[in-house]
Amino acid sequence: MQRKPRILMANIGLDGHEMGAIVVSTALRDAGMEVIYLGLCQTPENIVETAIQEDVDVVGISSMSGVHDEVMPIIVNLLKEKGVNIPIIIGGIIPKEDIPQLKQVGVKGVFSPGTPTKQIIEFIQSIVEE
Amino acid sequence: MAKEKGERKEEFTTASGIVLKRVYAPEDIKDLDYARDLGSPGEYPYTRGPYPSMYRAYPWMIRQVMGYGTPESSVERWKALMERGGQAGYKQEPATTLLFDMPTNYCYDSDNPIAFYQVGRVGVAVDHYKDIVDLMKDFPMDKGFTNLVVHGSPPILTAMYIAAAQELGYPLDKLRGSSKNDPYQSQICERIQLLPTKAELRLCLDLLEYCAKYMPAWNPISLEAYGYHSSGSNAIQEVAFGLATAMAYIEGGISRGLDVDVFAPRISFFFSSGIDFLEEVAKFRAARRIWTKVMKERFGAKNPRSLLFRTYVCTLPPDYTAQQPYINIVRGTIQAMAAILGGIQAMSVTPYDEVLAIPTLDAHTMSIRAQQILVEESGIGNTVDPLGGSYCIEWLTNEIEDKVREYFKKIESWGNDGTVLSGLTAGVEKGLVQSEINEAVIKRQRAIEGGERVMVGVNKYTVEEEISPQIFRVDPVYRKEKIEKLKKFKEERDKQEVSRALKELAQVCRTNENVMPELIEAAKKRVTLEEAMNVFRDVFGVPEFWKGRRMTK
């Protein structure tokens, strides 16, 4: 039997804006995925360690305070250093012009405010199947 | 039934779910008694406005939310907004609403590695009282008005503000402004809780008590109801939780032996204004009437100023869209009109690009111009409460009041002694309020995705090609400057004085005495925000959330 996709959801930086992450986590659960909700104020180290320990298929990051440009490369590199290949996606307040750069450093998917959760679900399903 | 009449929908509802009738008539408000339920503007129960002449005397304060980078860069923005006619008080005195960066809100100094990526990003970085001196030295702290929106530890930041004011030569009793000193809101909406609830509450009331004694022109609690609406709940929940938390602080103040008529006049509010125009107008009118009655009937206030619900408003960002961002200018204007017709005192129209990044000066300018057009061209403020007496608006005002009062009962039932204070504390500690908000936001999202709630540009009238406006980026040089200056500040201070001040602060925390005098003294002795907070963390402990986390050096 194929196991359910396992997703780690985490909010980066010192920030309490967690509604986006809660909405997405709930939608993923409703779609039959297993969500490990790590919650607020996570450091890159914490996220990567948990992703490995929990053996997740995808890491989902929520960023609301503009730190994506500096912090995402750190998370991607930490994953690389540990020799694991877990796809990483991000949602939140991210200017359009930052998307190419995020993709270039290895972020698989970038979701702006207003993205239907269905689109995120389908995206995760497609990368898990790869 | 509706369809038989050839209508577009089976049912028309407000954003918070109140079902609207096709048309309203005298019988819908047949029990309305003018003197009892409305009163003239400036008269009990203040439904029609807190003051007799409202905007005919003074327009609302145009007070954009601002702050980024260092104190210097924030002052630069402040001055630019003033040049455009923003950041102006009732008599055109400088007035502003300051936002702080996330490390400041979490009480970490700029040189703590945990703060590094966030220094100055979404607000001004403040580490010590000299930063406030740098912020305020060009502005009159006695004639101006400064609203400090800080979520982490308002007493520490306000103590620094006081220390700075004294250094700049202002007497305490002349300081004008407000502190967002609202730990319930921080915990429920901002999800920022640095200390156990009881300790947060004690520090909040210490500030309240201190201001009641020494700072008669300062609002020690600018109660933030805005956060309930902006984090996903509806307008009714915003009024209900907002006023309930204010009631809890009033109960707290009274339980300390303070005279309600001394401190209640200085409690002010910070609300949102959403896109549902009619509901928002009614919301502000209902909030004013409920507050007046609560103060008079529940708390026995006699000073007419204790009965006034005075509020600052930010227009509601979740109604904005990242798609076709320029259309947010239209949304902001509609939200602003609702607030004005609701009778508010000060406003920030959220800049159209706030869903993308922190605002550009151009986007702020648009928000200021929108308000200037409303004041000077539209005539919206030329008569007081023009919608008063409308069958629909009065009916909606009554509906909202009823639903808010039901919420009060629910909150009281969570506690064990019938007070809101006990109910709310239990509700927050058990996460009941947080769950209500989480459920509301999930429901809202489903309504958007299902198409029942239209958002132009998101689920209707979408376009392929999107215009992307210029994004504001905080220059990383500010971070570098801030950290270097902080290091220098720490090296140059008298370390013995600092450690003595920290010891004295810890000592007073262990008693029942008010911490404010020691906190102000500590600020003057150059204790930093994080150092003061660490004393609190040591004495009061930290909530479960922070245990075992590698958040400190």
Side-chain angles (χ1 to χ4, degrees):
Chain A
M1 204 182 85
Q2 207 186 345
R3 76 168 195 180
K4 289 180 182 177
R6 279 164 75 83
I7 323 295
L8 178 72
M9 289 289 286
N11 302 268
I12 45 169
L14 298 166
D15 193 359
H17 289 94
E18 70 172 335
M19 292 308 162
I22 287 175
V23 164
V24 173
S25 298
T26 309
L28 298 183
R29 247 171 232 173
D30 291 349
M33 298 182 190
E34 203 174 316
V35 179
I36 296 138
Y37 185 65
L38 199 50
L40 293 166
C41 300
Q42 297 300 326
T43 57
E45 293 79 10
N46 238 358
I47 293 168
V48 168
E49 248 170 58
T50 315
I52 294 168
Q53 271 171 17
E54 296 285 344
D55 187 24
V56 297
D57 301 306
V58 177
V59 175
I61 301 290
S62 172
S63 168
M64 299 292 286
S65 57
V67 296
H68 55 276
D69 53 352
E70 290 185 310
V71 178
M72 289 310 278
I74 296 174
I75 301 178
V76 172
N77 286 335
L78 268 177
L79 280 168
K80 268 189 209 151
E81 274 172 31
K82 304 266 177 188
V84 287
N85 184 24
I86 307 174
I88 181 160
I89 61 175
I90 183 170
I93 305 282
I94 294 149
K96 251 190 153 41
E97 62 198 52
D98 291 4
I99 297 175
Q101 206 196 335
L102 286 170
K103 294 231 167 123
Q104 210 197 332
V105 299
V107 177
K108 273 268 182 184
V110 183
F111 301 98
S112 306
T115 308
T117 49
K118 198 167 158 257
Q119 200 178 314
I120 302 171
I121 294 163
E122 285 168 1
F123 187 84
I124 291 176
Q125 280 162 344
S126 75
I127 55 174
V128 170
E129 277 161 24
E130 263 173 28
Chain B
M1 234 171 63
K3 284 201 169 159
E4 281 171 26
K5 293 196 175 81
E7 294 183 353
R8 290 184 288 120
K9 293 193 235 175
E10 289 282 345
E11 203 174 72
F12 289 81
T13 59
T14 66
S16 66
I18 297 174
V19 180
L20 292 172
K21 297 181 186 180
R22 184 165 60 90
V23 66
Y24 288 88
E27 72 244 31
D28 291 303
I29 52 167
K30 63 179 188 311
D31 296 328
L32 195 77
D33 180 286
Y34 189 82
R36 184 195 63 201
D37 301 322
L38 298 180
S40 292
E43 284 175 18
Y44 186 86
Y46 303 99
T47 313
R48 306 200 64 193
Y51 307 115
S53 297
M54 293 296 288
Y55 313 129
R56 286 165 66 102
Y58 304 110
W60 61 93
M61 295 188 204
I62 300 179
R63 220 168 72 202
Q64 295 295 111
V65 164
M66 52 148 278
Y68 70 85
T70 57
E72 292 78 7
S73 57
S74 298
V75 165
E76 200 181 305
R77 163 100 13 138
W78 187 347
K79 288 180 176 169
L81 296 177
M82 275 175 71
E83 272 168 29
R84 287 156 177 79
Q87 314 313 85
Y90 292 136
K91 295 170 185 171
Q92 299 303 304
E93 71 278 14
T96 202
T97 294
L98 288 173
L99 281 195
F100 300 89
D101 70 358
M102 295 317 290
T104 304
N105 277 306
Y106 281 83
C107 292
Y108 291 110
D109 288 343
S110 300
D111 61 350
N112 187 325
I114 201 70
F116 186 74
Y117 301 107
Q118 292 180 282
V119 175
R121 281 265 197 171
V122 295
V124 55
V126 168
D127 298 309
H128 47 75
Y129 91 108
K130 283 283 185 191
D131 285 334
I132 309 271
V133 170
D134 289 339
L135 264 171
M136 299 309 301
K137 62 187 176 206
D138 294 342
F139 301 98
M141 294 172 87
D142 51 352
K143 294 181 185 67
F145 189 96
T146 316
N147 175 16
L148 308 171
V149 182
V150 65
H151 306 303
S153 188
I156 303 177
L157 206 92
T158 310
M160 287 177 177
Y161 191 89
I162 293 166
Q166 289 184 327
E167 179 164 307
L168 291 167
Y170 297 98
L172 271 184
D173 61 350
K174 292 282 185 283
L175 297 181
R176 288 183 71 236
S178 58
S179 307
K180 189 231 135 186
N181 177 29
D182 184 355
Y184 285 121
Q185 191 276 354
S186 296
Q187 201 171 332
I188 297 166
C189 303
E190 310 298 332
R191 309 270 153 120
I192 297 177
Q193 188 199 1
L194 306 181
L195 300 170
T197 308
K198 284 197 174 65
E200 296 260 19
L201 203 56
R202 174 213 167 157
L203 295 170
C204 160
L205 294 174
D206 278 358
L207 179 55
L208 174 75
E209 186 176 31
Y210 185 84
C211 292
K213 283 185 185 151
Y214 307 110
M215 294 168 70
W218 190 266
N219 301 334
I221 295 181
S222 165
L223 187 123
E224 197 195 312
Y226 164 91
Y228 301 97
H229 207 175
S230 69
S231 57
S233 58
N234 61 44
I236 293 167
Q237 289 168 310
E238 176 185 22
V239 180
F241 288 123
L243 297 188
T245 46
M247 284 152 73
Y249 299 131
I250 299 244
E251 286 169 350
I254 292 171
S255 74
R256 284 198 174 198
L258 298 176
D259 177 354
V260 70
D261 279 325
V262 171
F263 72 90
R266 301 253 41 114
I267 289 187
S268 62
F269 292 88
F270 171 4
F271 267 65
S272 74
S273 187
I275 195 75
D276 191 313
F277 188 79
L278 300 176
E279 178 164 83
E280 293 295 324
V281 174
K283 174 183 89 179
F284 292 110
R285 300 175 84 255
R288 254 192 320 271
R289 181 161 73 205
I290 301 167
W291 187 244
T292 297
K293 290 187 175 170
V294 160
M295 289 309 297
K296 190 176 165 145
E297 291 160 14
R298 189 174 181 126
F299 296 117
K302 289 181 184 67
N303 180 350
R305 288 194 54 84
S306 303
L307 311 180
L308 298 185
F309 168 91
R310 301 168 300 130
T311 191
Y312 170 59
V313 161
C314 277
T315 71
L316 192 66
D319 290 336
Y320 282 23
T321 54
Q323 295 73 13
Q324 305 177 46
Y326 291 112
I327 64 177
N328 295 327
I329 299 167
V330 180
R331 293 191 173 104
T333 307
I334 295 169
Q335 295 167 327
M337 287 174 70
I340 297 157
L341 292 170
I344 56 92
Q345 281 57 61
M347 183 152 57
S348 174
V349 171
T350 301
Y352 65 83
D353 57 356
E354 212 184 274
V355 273
L356 303 170
I358 75 161
T360 59
L361 185 54
D362 282 348
H364 264 303
T365 305
M366 201 65 84
S367 294
I368 292 170
R369 295 286 180 259
Q371 296 184 69
Q372 289 162 336
I373 290 169
L374 286 168
V375 184
E376 319 238 2
E377 295 185 15
S378 79
I380 196 169
N382 290 353
T383 181
V384 182
D385 191 30
L387 297 188
S390 146
Y391 303 127
C392 167
I393 292 294
E394 296 301 355
W395 178 86
L396 253 181
T397 305
N398 291 344
E399 278 290 301
I400 293 172
E401 176 169 359
D402 289 348
K403 291 191 158 47
V404 167
R405 286 185 184 279
E406 280 166 29
Y407 250 109
F408 288 168
K409 285 197 191 115
K410 182 175 180 177
I411 294 167
E412 283 158 0
S413 76
W414 291 334
N416 52 21
D417 61 4
T419 62
V420 176
L421 184 67
S422 145
L424 208 53
T425 305
V428 169
E429 284 178 342
K430 289 179 196 153
L432 300 173
V433 197
Q434 293 90 323
S435 304
E436 288 230 3
I437 308 248
N438 293 355
E439 280 162 27
V441 75
I442 290 164
K443 206 171 137 194
R444 181 180 183 274
Q445 179 68 17
R446 286 187 180 136
I448 293 168
E449 294 196 11
E452 303 97 64
R453 184 175 178 139
V454 173
M455 282 192 97
V456 172
V458 169
N459 60 7
K460 217 171 178 181
Y461 312 113
T462 53
V463 288
E464 272 303 313
E465 192 254 339
E466 278 174 22
I467 318 154
S468 189
Q470 184 74 37
I471 297 295
F472 184 79
R473 286 178 194 276
V474 178
D475 193 332
V477 76
Y478 293 129
R479 166 170 69 196
K480 199 164 160 269
E481 275 175 28
K482 187 79 192 74
I483 295 172
E484 277 166 12
K485 270 180 95 174
L486 173 61
K487 286 193 171 145
K488 197 157 165 269
F489 174 91
K490 283 184 175 171
E491 277 160 20
E492 285 173 2
R493 59 191 180 163
D494 183 331
K495 291 181 184 62
Q496 277 185 326
E497 276 197 334
V498 170
S499 62
R500 201 177 313 127
L502 289 171
K503 262 188 212 126
E504 280 164 14
L505 180 60
Q507 221 157 27
V508 73
C509 286
R510 292 196 180 91
T511 68
N512 290 324
E513 298 293 306
N514 195 309
V515 301
M516 287 309 292
E518 272 71 17
L519 211 45
I520 296 164
E521 205 42 43
K524 287 178 185 167
K525 294 282 153 44
R526 304 180 181 230
V527 164
T528 66
L529 187 71
E530 182 172 337
E531 288 163 344
M533 183 40 104
N534 282 342
V535 170
F536 291 162
R537 286 175 175 128
D538 287 346
V539 176
F540 301 121
V542 292
E544 236 9 80
F545 178 83
W546 296 104
K547 287 184 185 153
R549 283 185 184 237
R550 297 167 302 181
M551 301 305 283
T552 44
K553 281 178 267 191

